[in-house]
Amino acid sequence: MKDHYLSELIDNYDALKYSLLEAQTFSQEHYGFPPIYYKIMETDAKRVGAFQKAFAKYDFTDKVVCEAGVGTLALTQHYLPYVKKAYLIENNPELRDFIEDFIKKGGWQDKVEVIYGDAITLELPEQVDYIVGELMSIYCANEYQVQIFRHLRKFLKPDGKLLPERIVNVVQLVYADFEKGHKHYPINFTRHLPEQLSTQSIVNTIDLYKVSDVDIEVSLIIHPVMTGMCNSIYMHSLVQVAEDCNFTGTDSLMPPTVCKLEEPVELKQGSPVTLNCKFSYGTSLDESMFWVG
Ligand SMILES: C[S@@+](CC[C@H](N)C(=O)[O-])C[C@H]1O[C@@H](n2cnc3c(N)ncnc32)[C@H](O)[C@@H]1O
């Protein structure tokens, strides 16, 4: 039986090259993500586990929590039984029945306030102990993690905590194959990994307690360790949900992603080059610019 699945997968590797990108692309038709993406997120024990580890590290008992973008409550259900009060925010109206049913089944109606609205602008009626929010995308380029936490942290008690709290964006210079019409894609299978020409370098670190600028312009020196044609960057985001509760990307969240350079460039082992990066949080990688020179 397992051989059958593997054989089907092997036959479809190339057809599935961009399927993760499609599943994770915001769609007007669904007021957000398509149902398949919620399934990918719910079933990813690595992603959920990093948050569970952080919930266990802190004590959520009798605390007041706000979670932005609760989706199908994949994270929420792990702390909700213990808290005193939870403000749960979601702006996808298609999830309304699911969320309400789930809360009723758990018997949590009295301590939960579900707010259907935009977490970037809405106001909370009180200060909270924890703000949880998994609205991340690679480099925070597509989703509004930065804007949402920058707004909601006004409602955090002085000793309160953000989950996640820190994101380190790293980059490598690479060569990748792009089909026509594609500027970037997440790596779904290792056979689509790019040819790597440098080791990893840090582009920037996002401290979610302090970040204010959403437009990033960074230049960094990179030392190629291989000689070869470079046409793209390999992006990776390392997330600290809480100290020692890390998440470094899977297919469900922040999958390592390749993105085209403005122009290809020939690299020589040992000859350093400057990589320039220009992108904005909460926009789209389609609008980002990366170039060598
Ligand atoms: C990446 S999913 C995570 C869902 C859930 N927290 C989980 O971890 O499984 C992000 C969720 O946030 C919601 N969302 C995105 N932007 C939002 C906003 N500005 N305000 C409220 N919800 C938002 C989306 O509809 C989606 O359900």
Side-chain angles (χ1 to χ4, degrees):
M1 192 63 177
K2 278 188 183 150
D3 281 354
H4 162 72
Y5 287 137
L6 185 59
S7 154
E8 213 175 310
L9 187 62
I10 291 168
D11 288 343
N12 286 290
Y13 272 139
D14 284 337
L16 291 169
K17 184 172 173 184
Y18 297 104
S19 56
L20 195 54
L21 177 67
E22 284 152 23
Q24 294 179 349
T25 298
F26 185 90
S27 129
Q28 293 295 351
E29 206 184 311
H30 294 285
Y31 305 96
F33 299 112
I36 183 79
Y37 185 38
Y38 287 103
K39 192 167 179 187
I40 298 175
M41 289 190 287
E42 287 160 16
T43 54
D44 186 349
K46 210 157 198 176
R47 182 187 79 95
V48 177
F51 279 86
Q52 275 181 284
K53 192 174 172 192
F55 300 150
K57 178 189 169 87
Y58 298 133
D59 183 9
F60 272 54
T61 313
D62 292 329
K63 296 293 196 301
V64 181
V65 179
C66 168
E67 184 179 346
V70 291
T72 52
L73 307 165
L75 307 179
T76 326
Q77 60 188 281
H78 296 290
Y79 65 77
L80 206 49
Y82 313 106
V83 302
K84 179 167 87 183
K85 177 90 195 171
Y87 297 97
L88 306 182
I89 308 170
E90 177 53 58
N91 71 351
N92 179 347
E94 286 192 349
L95 298 178
R96 208 178 182 123
D97 290 348
F98 178 92
I99 293 172
E100 255 136 63
D101 269 10
F102 202 98
I103 289 167
K104 212 180 277 171
K105 276 189 195 132
W108 298 310
Q109 305 93 309
D110 293 347
K111 61 177 179 180
V112 171
E113 194 173 315
V114 189
I115 309 170
Y116 297 99
D118 186 351
I120 301 182
T121 51
L122 57 81
E123 303 285 309
L124 294 180
E126 61 175 317
Q127 299 291 106
V128 301
D129 298 290
Y130 298 111
I131 293 176
V132 180
E134 192 284 83
L135 307 107
M136 291 183 276
S137 55
I138 195 84
Y139 281 26
C140 292
N142 292 347
E143 286 199 67
Y144 294 105
Q145 182 82 32
V146 168
Q147 287 91 335
I148 288 174
F149 271 27
R150 188 179 61 180
H151 169 68
L152 287 179
R153 72 189 181 209
K154 286 187 274 209
F155 302 101
L156 194 61
K157 290 179 183 171
D159 57 348
K161 298 281 185 198
L162 298 175
L163 296 86
E165 56 187 12
R166 188 167 156 264
I167 300 168
V168 183
N169 293 323
V170 299
V171 72
Q172 282 173 277
L173 292 176
V174 299
Y175 183 87
D177 294 317
F178 291 88
E179 271 64 39
K180 205 165 174 271
H182 287 279
K183 175 177 175 175
H184 56 87
Y185 58 92
I187 302 299
N188 208 355
F189 301 106
T190 50
R191 66 172 51 195
H192 299 135
L193 273 170
E195 178 189 316
Q196 310 193 4
L197 299 161
S198 75
T199 54
Q200 291 188 334
S201 304
I202 294 179
V203 172
N204 70 327
T205 296
I206 306 172
D207 177 344
L208 286 161
Y209 289 99
K210 296 190 183 139
V211 61
S212 60
D213 289 346
V214 296
D215 300 317
I216 304 304
E217 279 196 60
V218 175
S219 295
L220 51 149
I221 306 289
I222 297 199
H223 296 264
V225 292
M226 306 295 272
T227 295
M229 181 58 78
C230 167
N231 69 347
S232 47
I233 58 164
Y234 183 54
M235 313 164 77
H236 211 147
S237 292
L238 318 183
V239 180
Q240 179 174 310
V241 182
E243 228 172 60
D244 189 30
C245 304
N246 302 319
F247 176 80
T248 54
T250 62
D251 53 300
S252 93
L253 172 65
M254 290 167 138
T257 294
V258 283
C259 182
K260 260 188 193 167
L261 289 177
E262 293 300 295
E263 294 292 337
V265 58
E266 191 76 51
L267 299 183
K268 208 161 167 40
Q269 178 210 338
S271 297
V273 292
T274 303
L275 172 68
N276 305 288
C277 311
K278 194 166 184 255
F279 61 97
S280 299
Y281 303 136
T283 54
S284 161
L285 272 188
D286 290 326
E287 293 168 32
S288 66
M289 284 173 71
F290 299 94
W291 71 100
V292 169

